[in-house]
């Protein structure tokens, strides 16, 4: 799903996706280039991504880079996955927000961080909820 999310962000090719994953997730998500290409193959077989037509090359290219974009089915599948994942996390975020409010605002930095977390979940729902619900 991480690869699909990056393709939704911006159509990309395998090596670029590998670099973006490394930059964004570092050691948290140790993914080799071969795993990225395997994910691209699986996503394409599942109809979640499709190759973009190759632009005309000014010069012959030894091996053209195949760029992929998400299909409508891919966007819906990703949105459904995000909503499913956010469901549990959003409940935790609301609970943390309530706990922070009960603390009387003694730690404004922590309360601000929790409020930002809750807001990020709400924005994600605004973006992906309608897609999942078919709107």
């Amino acid at each position: 799903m991480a690869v699909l999310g990056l393709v939704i962000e911006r159509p990309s090719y395998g090596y670029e996706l590998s670099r973006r994953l490394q930059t964004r997730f570092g050691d948290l998500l140790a993914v080799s280039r071969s795993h990225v290409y395997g994910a691209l193959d699986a996503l394409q077989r599942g109809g979640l991504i499709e190759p973009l037509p190759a632009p005309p090359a000014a010069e012959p290219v030894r091996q053209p880079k195949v760029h992929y974009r998400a299909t409508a089915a891919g966007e819906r599948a990703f949105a459904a996955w995000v909503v499913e994942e956010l469901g549990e996390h959003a409940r935790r975020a609301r609970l943390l927000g309530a706990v922070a409010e009960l603390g009387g605002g003694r730690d404004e930095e922590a309360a601000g961080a929790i409020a930002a977390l809750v807001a990020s979940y709400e924005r994600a729902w605004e973006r992906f909820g309608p897609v999942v619900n078919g709107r």
Side-chain angles (χ1 to χ4, degrees), residues 5 8 74-84 86 120-135:
I8 289 170
E75 289 180 3
R76 283 191 304 274
F78 185 77
W81 176 80
V82 168
V83 168
E84 181 181 315
L86 286 179
S120 72
Y121 286 123
E122 289 171 352
R123 283 191 306 277
W125 175 254
E126 288 170 7
R127 178 173 180 206
F128 293 112
V131 175
V132 172
N133 294 325
R135 291 184 254 149

Side-chain angles (χ1 to χ4, degrees), residues 64-75:
K65 298 172 186 159
V66 178
H67 286 70
Y68 296 92
R69 66 177 166 209
T71 62
E75 289 180 3

Side-chain angles (χ1 to χ4, degrees), residues 96 100 104-117:
L96 289 173
R106 285 178 273 187
D107 187 347
E108 289 182 27
E109 186 177 333
I114 292 168
L117 178 64

